[in-house]
Amino acid sequence: MSSSAPNNPKPKPQWLERLEQESYQAELIVSGVALLGAFQLPGLLDQLLNWCLQRTTAEQQELLGYLFIYLLFGALILIFNFILHFSLRTLWIGNIGLASVFPEGINEHSDRYSPHFLARLKARFPDLQGFNQRLDNLCSLLFSIAGISVLTFSFITIILVVFWGIGYFLSMVFPGLPATYFALGGLFLLTSVLLFQGLLNHKKLRDKSWVKKVQFPLYLFSVRIMAGPFLEPFTYIGQTLATNVSKTRYIGVTAGYMVVLMIGFVFWVQDSNLFMLDAGIRKRLAGRESVQYAERYENLRPPGAHIRFAMLSSDVIRGTVATVFVPVPKTERELIQAYCGPEWEDGEREERQACLESYYTFKIDSTVVVPSGLYLYKQKDSKQDGIRVYLSMQGQRVGGHHLRIIPARFEQDSFHINIPFQYFPEESLQ
């Protein structure tokens, strides 16, 4: 004889009910602290991005572009969730006070409006207490979504880094095997499993016998990949939402998220160096002749700003010497090493300096200018390694010029750096 006892939830202990009633206090504290931390994430991503531009190879940067886009979307989701939660929870607290003063909500006997208008208003908005309860539920729901977002994005980031690390190791063992392709292949496999899991839940398939055998194990496999040790909280929160929220509302919330994320992404990208991870975009930006970028002039560059290609001492050169700083990131060092050979890798400081002097050609307009000095240098505020170059301005005409820096690269990697400036010798100012 088999017994099928109903799966009724256990009665809540009194301490849990009391804690639930006062949970908004903890929510506000956690949400406020998390919001403060989330607002720091885009700035931290900027710093990490600039570090990667200096310390990673061209192959590594191909994957880093996808990783930074993913991390930014995760940061924006957290910011949006915690802003919305904090705002609504603050509104809820205000409404609690309002309801304690006016428990009946809208007063049908007020002389501010006509009885007909007040009757219809009260019929449409009858219960202030009920509204507060729904608002309380919404705040708790948003807090759960924010929590699961932190867990999910954190672990998927770890998974992506692990995929890339395995691919990078295999590329060292088997030269010619790109680490980027392996990492993207792992990401594609994960995405395919998730899409297949969603396909199995289609009404035409989910009741078939073979689907019943594989659907749940496949779900556990995919969630373990996404959430790792957070399988239990991920499933409780995620499936509670999935089984209680209508599909229409889910699609609407998702569409709203995407709009907010795209707006935030556009604003962040405008002030970041994200697109500098793409070699083609670097080539186009480096050679623009009619644009003055602030980070290319020492007197205009914000303190600590990343120097993309090179930095001239000023947009207006006065006197007989112009000072130039040229960053030499890892992508450039690889090309310099290929150009110079053993002299760069095994040579002394003087040999490296001689290699750099032959690698870079400096022109003012179309005239080659031989540096009077070229030294290895580390920029103080941006922490970028590079070279500091001194160029003589004697014999140059008064007015507009272009400084052109031409690295001796291979043809497929070739581009020149272009910096427009004005020149006025000291005697012309007297």
Side-chain angles (χ1 to χ4, degrees):
M1 181 176 179
S2 62
S3 62
S4 57
N7 188 20
N8 295 324
K10 296 180 180 180
K12 295 180 182 178
Q14 291 184 354
W15 67 267
L16 182 57
E17 290 184 355
R18 186 168 59 253
L19 182 62
E20 288 179 346
Q21 293 172 0
E22 300 175 355
S23 64
Y24 72 92
Q25 300 176 15
E27 279 187 29
L28 275 174
I29 295 173
V30 174
S31 184
V33 173
L35 182 59
L36 181 62
F39 270 121
Q40 310 303 315
L41 290 177
L44 294 175
L45 286 177
D46 268 332
Q47 296 179 26
L48 180 60
L49 172 59
N50 292 337
W51 184 89
C52 290
L53 287 170
Q54 293 300 307
R55 300 289 186 267
T56 56
T57 65
E59 180 185 350
Q60 293 167 353
Q61 289 178 5
E62 291 182 16
L63 177 63
L64 286 172
Y66 298 102
L67 179 61
F68 274 101
I69 290 175
Y70 170 79
L71 291 176
L72 175 63
F73 278 138
L76 293 176
I77 285 179
L78 294 182
I79 292 172
F80 177 68
N81 276 344
F82 285 119
I83 285 178
L84 190 58
H85 171 266
F86 194 83
S87 302
L88 291 179
R89 183 57 78 181
T90 304
L91 175 63
W92 177 81
I93 292 175
N95 281 353
I96 292 295
L98 181 65
S100 67
V101 178
F102 304 106
E104 298 300 324
I106 297 173
N107 182 8
E108 292 183 271
H109 307 291
S110 171
D111 61 354
R112 184 177 293 272
Y113 299 101
S114 68
H116 172 74
F117 178 83
L118 286 173
R120 298 194 64 180
L121 190 65
K122 187 69 174 179
R124 178 63 179 82
F125 305 99
D127 188 6
L128 179 58
Q129 303 283 2
F131 169 73
N132 286 345
Q133 181 63 52
R134 294 191 299 274
L135 190 59
D136 182 34
N137 294 338
L138 176 60
C139 291
S140 298
L141 178 63
L142 287 173
F143 196 73
S144 296
I145 293 175
I148 198 174
S149 298
V150 173
L151 298 180
T152 304
F153 278 96
S154 299
F155 197 75
I156 290 182
T157 300
I158 296 173
I159 290 295
L160 291 175
V161 172
V162 169
F163 271 130
W164 179 85
I166 295 174
Y168 188 70
F169 174 76
L170 291 177
S171 69
M172 296 174 61
V173 178
F174 305 101
L177 177 65
T180 302
Y181 292 167
F182 183 86
L184 292 178
L187 183 61
F188 175 77
L189 178 62
L190 173 60
T191 305
S192 300
V193 171
L194 295 176
L195 291 176
F196 184 64
Q197 168 70 20
L199 181 63
L200 292 180
N201 199 43
H202 193 275
K203 292 182 178 180
K204 294 183 178 180
L205 292 176
R206 61 190 182 187
D207 292 326
K208 294 184 179 296
S209 57
W210 67 271
V211 173
K212 293 178 181 179
K213 293 180 181 179
V214 301
Q215 185 177 17
F216 187 71
L218 187 63
Y219 167 78
L220 289 179
F221 171 75
S222 60
V223 173
R224 284 192 184 279
I225 291 179
M226 287 194 304
F230 309 114
L231 169 66
E232 192 169 6
F234 182 94
T235 301
Y236 271 118
I237 298 173
Q239 293 305 321
T240 298
L241 294 174
T243 55
N244 287 279
V245 178
S246 67
K247 185 179 295 186
T248 303
R249 180 177 295 182
Y250 179 81
I251 294 175
V253 170
T254 302
Y257 266 113
M258 293 307 299
V259 171
V260 172
L261 292 180
M262 292 309 299
I263 293 174
F265 181 78
V266 169
F267 276 103
W268 182 77
V269 166
Q270 289 178 346
D271 296 324
S272 77
N273 292 310
L274 177 63
F275 292 137
M276 292 295 294
L277 293 170
D278 184 90
I281 294 178
R282 286 200 299 268
K283 293 178 183 180
R284 292 197 296 271
L285 292 178
R288 288 182 175 175
E289 297 185 356
S290 59
V291 181
Q292 286 190 313
Y293 296 98
E295 80 275 358
R296 298 192 189 184
Y297 306 94
E298 192 166 5
N299 64 318
L300 300 178
R301 184 177 70 97
H306 181 79
I307 303 168
R308 292 180 175 178
F309 300 105
M311 180 178 68
L312 192 57
S313 54
S314 175
D315 60 323
V316 179
I317 302 298
R318 308 179 190 276
T320 58
V321 177
T323 306
V324 185
F325 173 72
V326 183
V328 184
K330 188 170 184 178
T331 52
E332 196 72 27
R333 289 200 299 272
E334 290 181 338
L335 296 171
I336 294 173
Q337 182 175 335
Y339 174 81
C340 296
E343 289 79 5
W344 174 259
E345 185 176 5
D346 303 322
E348 299 295 333
R349 181 184 180 92
E350 292 75 12
E351 293 176 310
R352 291 193 175 197
Q353 187 167 318
C355 164
L356 290 169
E357 291 177 352
S358 64
Y359 180 78
Y360 287 103
T361 299
F362 297 88
K363 290 184 178 183
I364 294 180
D365 299 326
S366 58
T367 303
V368 175
V369 179
V370 178
S372 59
L374 186 153
Y375 307 95
L376 299 175
Y377 184 79
K378 187 180 184 71
Q379 184 67 22
K380 292 187 298 182
D381 55 357
S382 65
K383 309 300 182 184
Q384 292 176 259
D385 294 315
I387 57 175
R388 191 172 177 87
V389 183
Y390 298 88
L391 301 176
S392 173
M393 298 298 296
Q394 290 184 349
Q396 299 295 335
R397 60 175 174 80
V398 175
H401 296 274
H402 286 85
L403 170 64
R404 305 182 193 278
I405 306 172
I406 307 171
R409 303 178 178 211
F410 299 106
E411 186 65 30
Q412 64 269 23
D413 298 308
S414 178
F415 67 84
H416 68 270
I417 302 166
N418 190 82
I419 305 177
F421 69 96
Q422 295 287 317
Y423 172 61
F424 294 97
E426 292 178 348
E427 58 269 18
S428 67
L429 303 176
Q430 298 176 354

